[in-house]
Amino acid sequence: MIKQLRFLLVLALLSVIGQASAQTIVTFTAGTDNGKNTGNGKADQISKDGVTIYCSDAAFNAYNKGTESYEYRFYKNSTTTISSTVGNIQKIVFTCTAEGEAKQGPGCFEQPSSGSYSYEGKIGTWTGNSSSVEFSSPSNQVRATKIEVTLVAGSSTKQSAGLEFSATSATAVLGQPFTAPTLSNPNQLPVTYTSSDENVATVAEDGTVTIKAAGTTTISASSEETDEFYAGSASYSLNVASAVDNIAAFKGIGIGNSAILNLTNAQVLYVYNNDMYVRDASGAIDFYKSNLEYKPNQILNGTLSAKYAEFNGLPEVTDVADVNVTASEGTTAADPLALTTDQLTAEHYCDLVKIEGTYDASASTLDGVALYDKFQTGELDNLADGGRGSVTGILVPFHDAPEIYVISAEELASTKQNAGLAFSQDSVSVVLGEEFTAPTLSNPNNLPVTYSSSDENVATVDAQGNVTVVGAGTTKITASSEETDTYYAGSASYTLVVEKLYASIADFKTIGKKNTAKLKLNDAQVVYVNNYTTNSGKQNSEIYVRDASGAIEFFNTGVEFTVGQILNGTLTATYDEFNSLPEITKVANVEITTTDGTVEPRQVASPADLSAADFCDLVEVSGVYSAEAKTLGGVPVYDKFKNGSLDNLEDGVNYTVTAVVVSFKNAPELALVSSVATGINNVEAKEAGNGSAFYNLAGQRVDANYKGIVICNGKKMLKK
């Protein structure tokens, strides 16, 4: 009997050892095991040792300049499939660049298609037993530096389904025939086709794709697990683009959108490093990192697929693909647009332009227009300070104003004088409905002057230069004189910003994200200040301010307020939201007076009464703490301010907390400031010890002479 038992134990031990030895870990390291994409918008995949990681929108060859390291990026709203053909997957470990549910952290993955998934810190861990597992990231992108896949080799005699499309991505043109990638199904398994967005494209039972609208979808083919084969799947990302006839139409598709651009007799204006400036009859644009090796003056005809982007206002063609363009040598060099300084508008960005004016060497300007030797031509050396000059170059935006990347420059000889027009101010702001005094025009030569406004919906100007404010916005008021035998043409301008005044925080929050307006604070109070240093060493500032209408956060605005201060006055501010939390992100023209005051948290009946209307406010509320869920009365609590208040909370105790209400998944969360126990469910039938702090059931501290039930060290006790 004993021998038999020993034999069985040995067999069991050998089985365990055999299983352990059969385990294989396949490790994907960013920068070593790379995909093909460096940015978003397309599918990407990496394969190694029988394991494939596929994502519908990913960059598996992304380089982070800030950290100077490579990373795997799984973009928002993407679907990721990790599959194995050499054994079932038992464990997947993601090492991410951020923690928990923060953007780019492992908590941004939803629960997968099978198995279980958990995360702590920067580590996300899946466990299960499957040949493939699918993840999605609906809220934020995930970034990982390493992915470890644990396999059990030989854990099954089943074979891989072998499903594979002939391409992982495809592009279709709206309104044109589309040929889908071919599905390889070597085992003739029954297959089900799906489209992740049927508004973009549908797919029939036989895999035939019907294009519906512009956008991106993922076409998937899947087979169920059988006695012989693992469940299988294959996918490709389908980008459906509209077709546009010219550069101007391409700029109209919107930032981040893709289209098929038809180039008709477009001419290459200039090429420098990653930038190629191209003009057609409708306008000009910059081809950025296109990998197109065309030369200046070449004429381009044909089509290509691309995404529209803007860099600080500069229109760009990016993510060029499916190039079907012929290039022929231009018979003549591109003619620059001869423009006055007033004609240098966003309409001409990326175009070849030519202007004349007086050169200011100290400011590197020509009649006030900024000049930059971006292309390192050295041509600015041809201009004399204070002299007349002519400059040809590429027009670009710089701080929302025109700038010229100089290609050529020459000094102009002339006996004419400058007109000498100048306004007393370069810019001025006015509140809609308030009186406005325009800057004074200096016209030393008494030249005839014509006035104009760039946006008459904001302000108009009459022949005498009198300005009438019409609505909120920004316009440029310009005075110009024509060239004469004695004087050059002259011009002077100032920017007029007309702001609408919002008299409360609640009204200000209605202007919409990224918009700017003037906010008036009436007895608003600073309820909390959180200044902290990030892991990367960046200094951040969060100032929570409340008025009678509501509350808002000042985030990294540069203003320095202290807790309790009463604020009265005005400032120009930009409104934004971070995960639904209302924020002021930029301020200017601060005219605020401060007086000291004492902060009182706003009383809230129960945690269940909290809503988005309470975001950024300091509140006092009571409820029972759940240690497992980290909630107070069902509302999440968070040690955002690193004051240790959360560590003091015990499970099952009723607490009254003071907290700033922040946003977590668009719902209220309590960022703790302080907490006081006000009750607990269990009463210990013993006397309270001397020398301890005692609280009655209302949470009020009592002295040593108090008799009855008290709370001491988080426990209910009877004090006799």
Side-chain angles (χ1 to χ4, degrees):
M1 178 68 181
I2 294 175
K3 288 183 179 179
Q4 186 178 6
L5 181 61
R6 287 178 177 174
F7 180 71
L8 291 174
L9 288 172
V10 169
L11 286 178
L13 180 62
L14 290 174
S15 176
V16 170
I17 293 172
Q19 291 179 15
S21 64
Q23 284 191 345
T24 303
I25 299 177
V26 180
T27 302
F28 295 84
T29 304
T32 301
D33 309 300
N34 296 332
K36 62 180 181 179
N37 293 347
T38 59
N40 65 324
K42 295 180 180 179
D44 206 355
Q45 75 174 38
I46 44 178
S47 297
K48 184 179 181 180
D49 299 338
V51 177
T52 298
I53 302 175
Y54 169 86
C55 183
S56 61
D57 187 3
F60 291 159
N61 191 24
Y63 184 75
N64 190 319
K65 294 182 180 179
T67 61
E68 297 183 345
S69 60
Y70 284 88
E71 55 196 22
Y72 299 129
R73 298 179 181 177
F74 305 84
Y75 290 102
K76 180 179 178 181
N77 293 323
S78 66
T79 300
T80 301
T81 302
I82 301 179
S83 59
S84 166
T85 60
V86 293
N88 277 7
I89 303 171
Q90 287 196 333
K91 187 178 182 180
I92 305 171
V93 178
F94 299 90
T95 302
C96 298
T97 62
E99 295 185 352
E101 296 178 353
K103 185 178 180 181
Q104 302 165 10
C108 296
F109 278 135
E110 279 196 341
Q111 285 298 318
S113 57
S114 64
S116 63
Y117 181 71
S118 62
Y119 53 89
E120 183 175 354
K122 296 183 178 181
I123 305 299
T125 304
W126 175 89
T127 56
N129 190 355
S130 178
S131 62
S132 68
V133 60
E134 185 175 283
F135 299 84
S136 60
S137 50
S139 61
N140 276 305
Q141 68 167 278
V142 178
R143 296 186 180 183
T145 57
K146 184 170 66 175
I147 304 171
E148 299 168 280
V149 182
T150 301
L151 306 173
V152 180
S155 58
S156 174
T157 59
K158 294 183 181 182
Q159 302 177 46
S160 169
L163 302 182
E164 185 177 7
F165 279 107
S166 57
T168 58
S169 63
T171 299
V173 180
L174 192 63
Q176 297 183 12
F178 169 65
T179 301
T182 304
L183 178 68
S184 173
N185 183 6
N187 301 304
Q188 301 297 311
L189 298 172
V191 171
T192 302
Y193 293 90
T194 59
S195 170
S196 64
D197 191 343
E198 294 191 341
N199 293 320
V200 176
T202 59
V203 57
E205 293 181 356
D206 62 354
T208 302
V209 174
T210 301
I211 305 300
K212 296 291 188 180
T216 301
T217 187
T218 299
I219 303 298
S220 301
S222 60
S223 61
E224 295 184 352
E225 187 170 3
T226 69
D227 293 339
E228 296 182 55
F229 300 97
Y230 291 113
S233 66
S235 303
Y236 65 90
S237 176
L238 173 60
N239 177 46
V240 180
S242 57
V244 296
D245 291 331
N246 52 48
I247 289 173
F250 183 77
K251 290 190 277 189
I253 67 175
I255 297 173
N257 294 322
S258 299
I260 304 298
L261 172 59
N262 183 35
L263 295 174
T264 303
N265 293 329
Q267 188 166 22
V268 181
L269 303 173
Y270 201 80
V271 178
Y272 182 80
N273 290 342
N274 294 319
D275 301 285
M276 181 177 72
Y277 304 95
V278 177
R279 171 208 291 165
D280 68 8
S282 72
I285 201 165
D286 177 24
F287 281 68
Y288 180 67
K289 289 187 176 180
S290 64
N291 293 322
L292 300 176
E293 297 182 355
Y294 299 132
K295 300 176 182 179
N297 301 324
Q298 283 188 317
I299 307 299
L300 310 180
N301 285 279
T303 62
L304 50 83
S305 172
K307 180 185 293 184
Y308 179 68
E310 290 184 6
F311 179 75
N312 294 333
L314 187 78
E316 293 181 337
V317 173
T318 63
D319 295 350
V320 173
D322 304 324
V323 180
N324 186 19
V325 174
T326 59
S328 58
E329 298 300 325
T331 56
T332 60
D335 290 326
L337 302 177
L339 303 174
T340 66
T341 56
D342 296 333
Q343 294 173 322
L344 300 178
T345 64
E347 175 188 0
H348 302 300
Y349 286 159
C350 300
D351 213 336
L352 185 69
V353 301
K354 181 178 181 178
I355 64 169
E356 296 180 359
T358 302
Y359 181 57
D360 183 342
S362 63
S364 192
T365 60
L366 198 73
D367 274 3
V369 177
L371 307 176
Y372 180 36
D373 192 17
K374 166 80 172 180
F375 306 138
Q376 300 181 12
T377 62
E379 288 287 312
L380 284 176
D381 295 340
N382 297 333
L383 302 180
D385 186 34
R388 296 285 298 177
S390 172
V391 169
T392 299
I394 300 296
L395 187 69
V396 299
F398 179 69
H399 293 321
D400 299 323
E403 180 180 67
I404 294 177
Y405 291 166
V406 178
I407 297 175
S408 65
E410 61 178 341
E411 191 172 7
L412 299 176
S414 177
T415 59
K416 291 186 180 181
Q417 303 176 42
N418 291 328
L421 302 182
F423 279 107
S424 57
Q425 293 175 262
D426 294 330
S427 63
V428 63
S429 296
V430 62
V431 175
L432 187 64
E434 295 183 357
E435 293 186 3
F436 165 62
T437 301
T440 304
L441 177 67
S442 174
N443 183 7
N445 301 304
N446 294 316
L447 298 172
V449 171
T450 301
Y451 293 91
S452 63
S453 170
S454 63
D455 191 343
E456 294 192 341
N457 292 317
V458 177
T460 60
V461 56
D462 64 17
Q464 288 73 45
N466 300 311
V467 175
T468 301
V469 174
V470 178
T474 300
T475 188
K476 179 182 284 187
I477 304 298
T478 301
S480 57
S481 62
E482 295 184 353
E483 186 171 4
T484 69
D485 293 338
T486 307
Y487 299 98
Y488 291 109
S491 68
S493 302
Y494 66 89
T495 299
L496 173 61
V497 179
V498 181
E499 300 174 307
K500 185 177 178 181
L501 182 65
Y502 290 82
S504 71
I505 289 175
D507 287 344
F508 180 77
K509 289 189 280 189
T510 65
I511 69 174
K513 294 190 289 184
K514 307 297 185 182
N515 290 323
T516 301
K518 195 157 197 171
L519 169 62
K520 185 176 183 180
L521 296 175
N522 297 294
D523 292 332
Q525 187 170 34
V526 180
V527 297
Y528 198 78
V529 175
N530 181 38
N531 295 319
Y532 63 99
T533 304
T534 67
N535 293 334
S536 63
K538 183 181 178 182
Q539 300 293 320
N540 282 349
S541 172
E542 299 169 336
I543 302 174
Y544 300 92
V545 177
R546 169 215 294 159
D547 69 7
S549 71
I552 199 166
E553 176 192 356
F554 284 62
F555 181 71
N556 285 352
T557 60
V559 297
E560 295 182 0
F561 298 138
T562 58
V563 175
Q565 284 185 325
I566 308 296
L567 312 179
N568 285 282
T570 62
L571 50 80
T572 301
T574 300
Y575 179 73
D576 206 349
E577 292 178 6
F578 179 76
N579 294 335
S580 299
L581 193 76
E583 292 182 338
I584 288 173
T585 57
K586 298 178 182 177
V587 299
N589 306 322
V590 181
E591 298 180 2
I592 299 290
T593 59
T594 63
T595 56
D596 293 335
T598 302
V599 178
E600 293 292 340
R602 185 169 58 80
Q603 304 294 313
V604 178
S606 73
D609 294 328
L610 294 170
S611 68
D614 302 300
F615 287 164
C616 301
D617 204 353
L618 184 73
V619 302
E620 184 177 84
V621 64
S622 300
V624 177
Y625 177 64
S626 168
E628 180 179 0
K630 289 187 178 180
T631 58
L632 189 83
V635 174
V637 292
Y638 175 35
D639 189 20
K640 173 179 173 62
F641 306 130
K642 310 298 182 185
N643 55 29
S645 294
L646 189 60
D647 297 335
N648 299 327
L649 304 187
E650 296 186 9
D651 188 49
V653 179
N654 192 79
Y655 288 92
T656 296
V657 303
T658 300
V660 176
V661 184
V662 296
S663 174
F664 176 66
K665 295 184 176 180
N666 301 323
E669 180 179 62
L670 294 168
L672 294 183
V673 176
S674 64
S675 61
V676 176
T678 57
I680 196 165
N681 294 332
N682 299 319
V683 180
E684 293 195 13
K686 63 180 182 180
E687 292 187 11
N690 295 324
S692 301
F694 306 112
Y695 301 86
N696 62 22
L697 295 182
Q700 301 166 324
R701 187 163 181 169
V702 296
D703 61 24
N705 297 320
Y706 184 87
K707 309 298 183 184
I709 297 176
V710 298
I711 299 172
C712 179
N713 297 325
K715 299 179 179 180
K716 275 186 180 178
M717 298 179 179
L718 178 64
K719 194 172 188 301
K720 299 180 179 180

